[in-house]
Amino acid sequence: SSKATPRKSVKAQTINTSEASYSKADIKQAIVRHLHSTLGTDENKADNHAWWKATSAAMQELVLERLRTTQKTHYMNDTRAVHYFSAEFLMGRLLSNNMHNFNLFETADAALKELGVELADVLEEEPDMALGNGGLGRLAACFIDSLATMELPAIGYGIHYEHGLFRQEIKNGAQIERPDSWRDYGNPWEICRPESIQEVPLFGYVETKYGENGRVQKEWHPGNIVKGVPWDIPIVGYGAKTVNVLRLWQSESSDYFNWDVFNSGGYVDAQRENIQAETISKVLYPNDETEAGKELRLIQQYFFCACSLKDIIRRYKRAHGDDWSRFSEQVVIQLNDTHPAIAIPELMRILVDRAELDWDTAWGICSKTFAYTNHTLLPEALERWPVRMIEKILPRHIEIIYEINHRFLTLVEKKWPGDNVMKAKLSIIEESTEKMVRMGNLSVIGSFAVNGVAEIHSKLVKENLFPEFEELWPGKLTNVTNGITPRRWLKACNPLLSELIGKKIGDDWPSDLPRLDKLSEFADNKTFQNQFMKVKQKNKEALAAEIKHQTGISVDTKAIFDIQIKRLHEYKRQHLNLLHIMALYRRLLENPDYDMHPRVFIFGAKAAPGYTLAKDIIFAINKVADKINNDPRVNHKIKVVFLPNYRVSLAEKMIPAADVSQQISTAGKEASGTGNMKLALNGAVTIGTLDGANIEIAEEVGDDNIFIFGMTVDEVTKLSTKGYNPYDIYYQNKELKAVLDWLDSDYFTPGQPGALSSLKNSMLSGGDPYMCLADFESYSEANKALDSAYRDKPRWAKMAILNTAKMGKFTSDRSIADYVERIWKLTPCEVN
Ligand code: GFP
Ligand code: GFP
């Protein structure tokens, strides 16, 4: 049942090679033309940056042509579209991807060669578009890729951050954050659309008026109005038939001066509240739980939701005038986490206050328009805003939220008469010392569908997070397992493997990933095993060169390349990995003949700037790495590498070279994971817990082709109910005790004893909230099993091949097909 079945109505298109009629000579000419007339330089003077811009501009000509055709077709057909609201889109680089999707990569490569330029060098010039933190933002990017590929009408809506996620430097082992400036020298893909500017009101007060028929009319007199300027990034589907749009809003000040506020004596207030308009889209928040700037973060959310809704309504009205009855047939809005939840009361405000619909009609429309995706069960990520903050910034919205809540609680009263505990639990308003608005509850109440992102996660959402909502509205809560685009995460990033696969099973797999299963029949074939592992070896050599270049560390490419790449967070347990590395180190010091295959542990991770322990873990990894890498007693067996500034383009270099994929979160904490899918797709074998999508990966690849360890969700729950005491394990496991105590010494930080103690403390006196110690022994055993499996070359090759072969289910095309069928109800629109 877990096997992906391609659905006829939304089956991805196979690539149309008609663009191949765009010849090498055409591309050459276009590049040179842009070098001359867009950049004002020439072939002799141009550096790689200029070549990148000219090449991108040449591609953009094709992109924009398809964009125009797509928009015209969607408009003519008055298509229903999905609007993906997300505070994050982690796009990475676009040039290589766009070339692949136009099937022009090889042609462009050849064209540039004739101009004496290496495409690979040109691609390196492109700064990543890093408008996101991690999995959630990258998922949004994979989804809009699939939507375009499957010819589905879709728009991504987000924020045009001036600074994306910070650039990470490592100084003396510690993370330093530097501003990211992705568009400092101009971005060749984005198009400014001043014709579609929107205005967004903020602050001020609400006036209550009484209409002729006694109708209460609310008028919001804002204290401030900012301008939202849209920037469009074209999203090219694979095969380049449909080109959709990612529309990102940039804030600017408007020339607005509020006479009403001034006249009613509110001028001083208005001034105090006068946030600088430009700061709204200045930076991406890299923290789940920022104290400072909370207000600004709420304003960011409202800002992009308000702009996007106005944009959607403008487009709707162009086709349907003031007839609102078809709105929810034409428009579906997907809320990516609770960040855009404020869109729900905003749409109500527009419908009730501006369109003057009665409440029930408005709510009928609203609650058929929104759907919500939950990405985590971690409490700190379920947003809550102080009532007084919303009151101040969005005075009308707080009234609407109260009204939504009032009507909702009437429903709760009907279902559970007299049950005030239930009401308190389900209410949108949390009656704590400070009254809070629960955006999670608002999202569930205001949406017609709510989904988690992997089977287990959705089950936990139903059973633990929102069980009463499930009782109230059976069927509203559902699952859509995440996916990744195989275009970026195999075809483009791993050309050697893609070519090998193509030779074996043909070239249709990028838009029909379950086809990879055909590779299974060659899993035992010696020749294929050799070819497959030769590709891996070459990719490892390329990564080794990159490691050398970035860090100066030399690594043995015959060693196991063991990779853990993801946001730094305690629940993801990079520190469990580190404890195990330290244990191996000790084993080697105690017994120089300790039998293990050489292994290179490679990390990539950014820590939220305010998350001290996460930064301490990065510091510890680097300090342990320094020591081990420079210890001649062990450095032929272990190396530890922390690659700075982990981002999409770095992931593209690391993933093809991985032998081992570390997916070791505490069971129940990682909603899905998507890096797990990317690594397995590229032939890495997972060592992981039964958490998130690891469970579904294990189902697909089979128990023999994955190393599962640690407690299950139920065992974790049981242990914490019973009472978990990390000291029990500390005193009982000598090796673990020695490793933890080592952190207190100055062995890794000469002259600075205690510099790594915070780590130890978190896992002992701090209670070890993510149960690293409880899972350590099982993890260590799984690592031993992995080590011996690696040394059995045919066995390992088979495992690696089967990991690639069995990833069909995890294409984001399947995720999108699930959304379409179960939630969005869209039909593809062919663009000719
Ligand atoms: C145009 C088209 C729409 C299309 C959008 C987004 O609208 O049909 O869905 O672009 O691609 F008319 P504007 O935003 O340009 O008005
Ligand atoms: C979050 C969750 C992940 C999940 C993604 C996408 O990403 O488990 O795969 O969203 O749904 F935690 P991160 O913020 O952890 O990267």
Side-chain angles (χ1 to χ4, degrees):
S1 66
S2 59
K3 295 282 181 293
T5 41
R7 288 165 183 81
K8 217 170 59 216
S9 59
V10 287
K11 186 155 170 3
Q13 302 294 313
T14 31
I15 189 157
N16 168 8
T17 42
S18 70
E19 300 308 327
S21 60
Y22 204 73
S23 71
K24 186 171 64 179
D26 295 333
I27 296 188
K28 236 170 104 173
Q29 206 182 48
I31 295 173
V32 171
R33 176 160 35 85
H34 280 289
L35 214 50
H36 293 178
S37 50
T38 307
L39 295 160
T41 183
D42 67 40
E43 297 90 307
N44 302 318
K45 281 194 287 182
D47 60 5
N48 281 334
H49 191 82
W51 284 111
W52 164 64
K53 276 210 172 139
T55 309
S56 300
M59 280 306 298
Q60 183 78 331
E61 282 184 8
L62 297 176
V63 172
L64 294 184
E65 197 183 307
R66 288 308 294 172
L67 176 67
R68 272 184 285 120
T69 321
T70 304
Q71 299 203 328
K72 205 161 125 199
T73 310
H74 289 174
Y75 178 69
M76 305 275 285
N77 290 292
D78 192 18
T79 48
R80 171 176 170 85
V82 63
H83 304 80
Y84 200 85
F85 279 28
S86 179
E88 303 188 15
F89 286 92
L90 198 44
M91 300 297 290
R93 294 170 171 166
L94 299 183
L95 178 55
S96 140
N97 204 67
N98 286 349
M99 286 175 163
H100 277 289
N101 286 0
F102 269 94
N103 197 22
L104 285 171
F105 191 86
E106 279 80 21
T107 317
D109 188 16
L112 282 166
K113 271 216 175 67
E114 284 183 11
L115 291 162
V117 180
E118 278 305 321
L119 176 56
D121 299 335
V122 170
L123 296 178
E124 281 302 307
E125 290 296 317
E126 181 165 356
D128 277 37
M129 238 180 117
L131 310 186
N133 283 298
L136 175 147
R138 184 53 231 175
L139 185 76
C142 283
F143 280 2
I144 56 178
D145 174 284
S146 282
L147 281 161
T149 298
M150 295 159 82
E151 296 213 81
L152 292 161
I155 307 182
Y157 277 113
I159 299 174
H160 191 257
Y161 299 106
E162 187 178 325
H163 301 288
L165 186 58
F166 65 87
R167 187 162 52 79
Q168 179 193 57
E169 286 177 11
I170 302 295
K171 281 245 162 71
N172 302 320
Q175 165 177 300
I176 311 279
E177 300 98 32
R178 300 268 180 239
D180 159 74
S181 29
W182 63 283
R183 49 198 301 278
D184 259 9
Y185 309 105
N187 180 296
W189 305 109
E190 54 181 16
I191 309 148
C192 188
R193 303 281 196 199
E195 70 275 21
S196 300
I197 285 175
Q198 297 295 350
E199 291 196 329
V200 178
L202 290 165
F203 301 104
Y205 66 98
V206 179
E207 185 190 356
T208 307
K209 291 178 179 168
Y210 298 91
E212 303 127 37
N213 42 14
R215 193 179 192 275
V216 179
Q217 186 67 37
K218 296 285 189 168
E219 196 175 338
W220 178 14
H221 299 271
N224 209 293
I225 288 189
V226 295
K227 254 186 346 196
V229 181
W231 290 83
D232 286 355
I233 316 279
I235 305 299
V236 182
Y238 185 59
K241 289 178 172 169
T242 286
V243 174
N244 281 328
V245 160
L246 169 60
R247 177 161 280 188
L248 302 175
W249 300 97
Q250 178 181 315
S251 61
E252 272 179 27
S253 72
S254 67
D255 315 317
Y256 179 83
F257 181 69
N258 194 327
W259 282 103
D260 288 339
V261 177
F262 182 76
N263 289 334
S264 63
Y267 184 66
V268 179
D269 275 348
Q271 272 308 89
R272 199 180 53 225
E273 292 166 352
N274 192 51
I275 44 124
Q276 263 185 315
E278 284 81 6
T279 60
I280 297 175
S281 58
K282 197 105 192 155
V283 286
L284 164 82
Y285 278 95
N287 209 334
D288 287 331
E289 40 195 320
T290 40
E291 262 319 311
K294 265 218 161 104
E295 197 168 277
L296 191 53
R297 190 171 161 129
L298 174 62
I299 293 174
Q300 281 190 330
Q301 298 181 348
Y302 177 65
F303 166 74
F304 96 87
C305 289
C307 288
S308 307
L309 278 174
K310 282 191 168 164
D311 201 46
I312 292 169
I313 290 167
R314 170 188 58 83
R315 203 172 288 123
Y316 175 80
K317 283 196 163 181
R318 192 166 60 198
H320 304 277
D322 286 333
D323 171 15
W324 288 95
S325 66
R326 296 198 48 209
F327 188 75
S328 59
E329 286 167 35
Q330 294 303 99
V331 176
V332 55
I333 297 174
Q334 189 68 35
L335 305 173
N336 197 27
D337 223 296
T338 57
H339 314 147
I342 196 70
I344 296 169
E346 171 66 1
L347 181 57
M348 283 305 285
R349 184 185 71 85
I350 295 168
L351 296 177
V352 173
D353 294 359
R354 311 308 293 257
E356 304 195 8
L357 301 184
D358 64 77
W359 183 277
D360 290 331
T361 310
W363 185 248
I365 295 171
C366 200
S367 53
K368 281 194 218 80
T369 300
F370 292 101
Y372 153 59
T373 305
N374 173 278
H375 291 268
T376 179
L377 301 166
L378 292 193
E380 73 254 31
L382 285 169
E383 290 178 299
R384 294 150 65 248
W385 297 110
V387 165
R388 60 156 175 87
M389 192 190 282
I390 301 192
E391 234 159 30
K392 174 179 157 198
I393 300 167
L394 304 168
R396 178 58 181 136
H397 296 75
I398 197 70
E399 295 181 352
I400 292 174
I401 290 169
Y402 271 117
E403 184 65 26
I404 295 173
N405 199 38
H406 171 71
R407 287 164 190 253
F408 168 68
L409 290 178
T410 312
L411 201 72
V412 175
E413 170 60 28
K414 255 198 209 133
K415 174 95 183 167
W416 293 283
D419 190 341
N420 288 332
V421 177
M422 187 64 86
K423 280 191 207 99
K425 187 168 180 213
L426 299 191
S427 171
I428 299 173
I429 309 296
E430 183 181 297
E431 304 280 346
S432 34
T433 6
E434 173 158 41
K435 274 196 192 179
M436 305 292 269
V437 177
R438 296 168 172 149
M439 301 310 268
N441 292 21
L442 175 61
S443 300
V444 178
I445 294 163
S447 298
F448 67 87
V450 176
N451 75 285
V453 291
E455 291 289 350
I456 180 122
H457 168 64
S458 299
K459 182 172 164 275
L460 295 172
V461 168
K462 255 192 212 172
E463 290 172 3
N464 301 348
L465 187 63
F466 298 135
E468 301 83 5
F469 288 115
E470 172 66 12
E471 249 186 88
L472 203 52
W473 294 301
K476 193 193 253 200
L477 273 58
T478 178
N479 172 248
V480 178
T481 297
N482 283 166
I484 56 169
T485 168
R487 275 72 70 178
R488 181 177 294 265
W489 297 112
L490 179 52
K491 188 173 197 293
C493 76
N494 198 342
L496 296 176
L497 187 55
S498 300
E499 200 191 321
L500 178 63
I501 293 171
K503 277 190 190 143
K504 261 321 201 217
I505 66 165
D507 291 322
D508 290 338
W509 58 268
S511 54
D512 185 9
L513 205 64
R515 263 178 203 254
L516 287 183
D517 200 11
K518 291 196 169 144
L519 293 172
S520 306
E521 53 184 281
F522 307 107
D524 284 306
N525 176 302
K526 282 278 148 311
T527 320
F528 188 64
Q529 287 187 346
N530 288 337
Q531 290 169 328
F532 195 94
M533 292 317 286
K534 207 166 156 192
V535 165
K536 184 60 79 183
Q537 185 58 31
K538 284 208 171 135
N539 290 335
K540 286 166 76 172
E541 280 156 20
L543 181 59
E546 185 68 24
I547 290 172
K548 180 85 193 163
H549 177 69
Q550 296 286 328
T551 65
I553 303 169
S554 307
V555 297
D556 171 9
T557 61
K558 295 283 180 222
I560 303 172
F561 274 29
D562 178 316
I563 296 193
Q564 186 169 20
I565 39 178
K566 49 187 79 254
R567 264 185 325 119
L568 203 312
H569 198 291
E570 286 166 273
Y571 86 74
K572 298 178 188 276
R573 296 201 296 194
Q574 282 93 348
H575 51 333
L576 174 59
N577 191 349
L578 184 65
L579 289 181
H580 174 251
I581 293 169
M582 292 169 69
L584 285 179
Y585 184 21
R586 279 191 84 254
R587 288 175 205 168
L588 283 167
L589 291 183
E590 280 176 0
N591 173 13
D593 296 325
Y594 179 74
D595 190 26
M596 66 173 278
H597 191 85
R599 193 145 152 197
V600 184
F601 295 93
I602 309 168
F603 293 86
K606 287 180 182 174
Y611 187 174
T612 312
L613 191 61
K615 292 170 103 173
D616 291 351
I617 295 173
I618 291 180
F619 182 67
I621 293 171
N622 280 306
K623 287 298 161 186
V624 172
D626 274 354
K627 197 77 190 179
I628 291 179
N629 297 342
N630 295 305
D631 188 338
R633 296 171 296 176
V634 303
N635 64 11
H636 55 295
K637 283 282 176 70
I638 324 180
K639 283 267 167 82
V640 183
V641 176
F642 187 97
L643 278 175
N645 202 26
Y646 179 61
R647 60 199 186 282
V648 173
S649 61
L650 185 54
E652 287 166 7
K653 294 178 180 137
M654 298 173 83
I655 287 168
D659 291 311
V660 173
S661 160
Q662 295 273 351
Q663 307 300 339
I664 61 177
S665 52
T666 320
K669 299 294 180 200
E670 187 69 273
S672 164
T674 46
N676 46 3
M677 302 167 186
K678 292 166 198 167
L679 284 152
L681 179 62
N682 284 270
V685 179
T686 303
I687 179 166
T689 45
L690 285 175
D691 197 17
N694 294 354
I695 296 174
E696 289 160 74
I697 290 176
E699 272 168 26
E700 297 295 307
V701 303
D703 295 347
D704 292 344
N705 301 304
I706 189 164
F707 296 93
I708 295 294
F709 74 93
M711 292 179 290
T712 61
V713 172
D714 288 345
E715 287 163 351
V716 167
T717 316
K718 245 184 232 149
L719 181 55
S720 43
T721 321
K722 183 184 123 208
Y724 169 56
N725 183 0
Y727 283 99
D728 293 345
I729 301 164
Y730 173 76
Y731 286 119
Q732 161 219 312
N733 184 328
K734 276 208 181 99
E735 180 177 58
L736 193 49
K737 178 170 187 304
V739 164
L740 285 161
D741 292 344
W742 219 358
L743 289 168
D744 271 340
S745 73
D746 74 343
Y747 186 81
F748 298 100
T749 52
Q752 289 175 272
L756 307 182
S757 293
S758 65
L759 235 74
K760 176 182 172 183
N761 296 341
S762 81
M763 290 182 275
L764 282 172
S765 52
D768 190 17
Y770 298 97
M771 299 181 169
C772 291
L773 305 199
D775 273 343
F776 178 80
E777 197 166 319
S778 162
Y779 182 50
S780 170
E781 288 309 309
N783 271 294
K784 283 180 194 158
L786 182 157
D787 176 274
S788 64
Y790 190 83
R791 288 190 261 177
D792 180 347
K793 289 218 161 120
R795 175 170 171 211
W796 189 270
K798 181 179 179 180
M799 292 175 85
I801 292 167
L802 286 175
N803 268 274
T804 299
K806 299 295 184 184
M807 281 308 103
K809 175 178 175 183
F810 302 105
T811 169
S812 43
D813 298 348
R814 191 269 315 143
S815 307
I816 291 301
D818 284 351
Y819 276 104
V820 165
E821 201 174 85
R822 305 228 289 274
I823 301 174
W824 299 339
K825 312 285 178 202
L826 295 180
T827 22
C829 175
E830 247 178 72
V831 178
N832 293 312

